[in-house]
Amino acid sequence: MSERVKLSRVESAFERLDYPVTRDDAAAEFVDVTVTFADGEANLGELVSELGSDSFHGPEELRAELQNVLPVEAVGEPGQSDGDA
């Protein structure tokens, strides 16, 4: 059965894992999970498989590295910045 989780709630999914966990084991755990964001979605297992670290010691580490592989649609509007007003 597949699962859908919002990007803002992905850390709660990561909390289900037993740590430390390898990247490959984490990716396998989320192969049937779709993460949704404001303008799209992606397979969480595929995103985790692209992370740079080989292992993680907690859900915070996993979440922090996930930010580096998210597609542009997940992190905001292209061409906008936070402080150029």
Side-chain angles (χ1 to χ4, degrees):
M1 175 168 77
S2 64
E3 176 185 356
R4 297 177 75 79
V5 64
K6 291 182 179 182
L7 180 59
S8 62
R9 306 237 183 241
V10 76
E11 196 166 325
S12 65
F14 291 160
E15 290 172 355
R16 297 189 308 233
L17 298 174
D18 292 324
Y19 292 90
V21 65
T22 66
R23 178 184 57 225
D24 292 341
D25 287 346
E29 180 70 26
F30 299 116
V31 72
D32 290 333
V33 177
T34 299
V35 62
T36 61
F37 21 87
D39 193 22
E41 61 184 37
N43 179 275
L44 186 55
E46 289 178 17
L47 291 174
V48 170
S49 73
E50 297 173 10
L51 301 180
S53 295
D54 291 329
S55 65
F56 304 92
H57 292 85
E60 303 83 18
E61 285 183 25
L62 208 45
R63 168 82 170 154
E65 282 217 29
L66 180 66
Q67 297 299 316
N68 294 324
V69 298
L70 288 173
V72 171
E73 306 84 48
V75 294
E77 294 293 323
Q80 291 187 354
S81 73
D82 292 334
D84 289 343

